[in-house]
Amino acid sequence: MSSAEEVSYLFAQRGWRSWFFTHDHKRIALLYLAVVSLMLMLAGTFALLLRLELLTPEKTLFEAVTYNRLFTLHGVGMVWLFMIPAIPSVFGNFLLPLMIGAHDVAFPRLNLASWYVYVVGALIVLGAMVAGGTDTGWTFYTPYSTTTPREVIPVLFGVFVIGFSSIMTSLNFIVTTHTLRAEGMGWMRMPLFVWAIYGTSVIQVIATPILGITLSLVALESFLGTGIFDPARGGDPVLFQHLFWFYSHPAVYIMVLPGMGVVSELLPTLCHRPPSSYRSIVYSTFGISFVGFLAWGHHMFVSGMSVVNAAFFGLASMLVAIFTAIKIFSWVSTMYEGEIVFNAPLVYLLGFIFLMVFGGMTGVALATVGLDPHWHDTYFVVAHFHFIMAGPVLLAFLAALHFWFPKMFGKKYSERLSLMGATITFFGFFATFTPQFLLGNMGMPRRYYSYPPKFQWLHVASTMGATVLAAGLVLTLGTLLHALIWGERAAQNPWDSRGYEWDTATPPPEHNYEIIPQITRGPYEPAEPGSARVG
């Protein structure tokens, strides 16, 4: 073991207590990495089982009630336990203090507590699933969720608890960004990834309490029969949809904005040129954050609303697409005439941009009042959801993991195997969900256990794609685990990055910097002579 490894945060303290009672943001990031990766594997396994069941028009492996539980397990696991916390809790935790020149986050104890709250929430959700499962889907629509005999309330409570973890983490990031930036780091010298984490945190703090209130009302309805959402008692089930989507539409950006931050941060390094328009990416981040709160109604065009309201929600959705397009044009123009290095992180980034463009265009179509009724509640929506959210979040998570793996662990991985894993993963994802666009357009409803035989070939094609996707993820996991155990020592700055996080040792020491740096350059300008990354 080299002297650099011995003084790194990984070995500065030893024993299990040094990990489970740590206040070091980098170790807490690794704790998050372990649990969200486990949640991803669980949710992915449930998805593969779903696809296997749908190989035939009638029963293949499971009864209908088990199928309903499986798609609920998959949705709850992916949305609440992986996609929302994954990038902010892992890479936000690890990188935010390093990128702003701080020793740690503002509230280290709160940071550790947020991880324990997340774990408790996840255990409650998984325990409820094991005890009896629920069959409502991840949206918990009333009045079914208040009348089904399944274990809905414990699952709701688990999601409620996880929401507290998100708020605690977001408050920490906001205060850290405001108070702990190094001298010389003005707002317009912050890395783009920090901007994305900051914008996401603002949405989390504002929107998550709405979700908590909504889930509490569902619990009251189930226990006390309050009649808020039940039409038999004078309630309105559409009210639940308004409250749910008022949170869950901004939650789309809670999931995908950090991924956009990863793309904005990594592309300048991998293309060896500064971002083409730093300010447009920053402003579009907050444009998406603000307008995202105004577009929830486009999920409810068929629930009944006035023409004026429908037009407003449709236009608000188009405005989000414009802000997203600004980012995509900025990314493409950053690549234009860049000295592009083709490696695993770049493959993930290119996959992210492709899915955002494809999924974004289908989103514009779904936000069009005249088109939405044709595709509403069909597989078209499932495919769109995965193209615009699940796929980009997964690819951005893997891009970040590959790019910052040397920084986090001080190890190198096999470039050939990681490139192969990235390529297989992208094409597996594309092959899984493209047939589902066709299924939806032909009228196949989502969440149906049985279907007419004419749809079978598309379901078989989708299941084959899911199998390829699983193979790509297994190869990627094996490559990184091999590198973690047997990998060679990574160079100080293997990407020749200009990012502030590379100004300290690789992997970083326990307190990041011996002396808080004074920032004298922009985030994508060349490093000062003598800094660690040019040493």
Side-chain angles (χ1 to χ4, degrees), residues 109-131:
R109 289 183 175 82
L110 185 69
N111 200 19
L112 178 63
S114 73
W115 181 76
Y116 277 106
V117 170
Y118 170 84
V119 170
V120 169
L123 289 175
I124 293 172
V125 169
L126 296 176
M129 293 295 191
V130 172

Side-chain angles (χ1 to χ4, degrees), residues 379 383 430-440 457-459 461-462:
Y379 263 88
F430 185 77
T432 301
F433 295 101
T434 301
Q436 295 185 19
F437 279 118
L438 302 177
L439 279 167
W457 71 276
L458 285 170
H459 276 297
S462 181

Side-chain angles (χ1 to χ4, degrees), residues 349-362:
L349 297 189
L350 294 177
F352 181 101
I353 295 171
F354 176 83
L355 294 181
M356 285 299 298
V357 172
F358 201 131
M361 288 191 296
T362 58

Side-chain angles (χ1 to χ4, degrees), residues 17-38:
R17 290 178 62 86
S18 71
W19 282 92
F20 289 99
F21 294 97
T22 183
H23 294 158
D24 185 341
H25 66 99
K26 301 179 291 298
R27 287 193 168 204
I28 294 171
L30 296 196
L31 292 175
Y32 267 113
L33 177 62
V35 289
V36 299
S37 298
L38 178 62

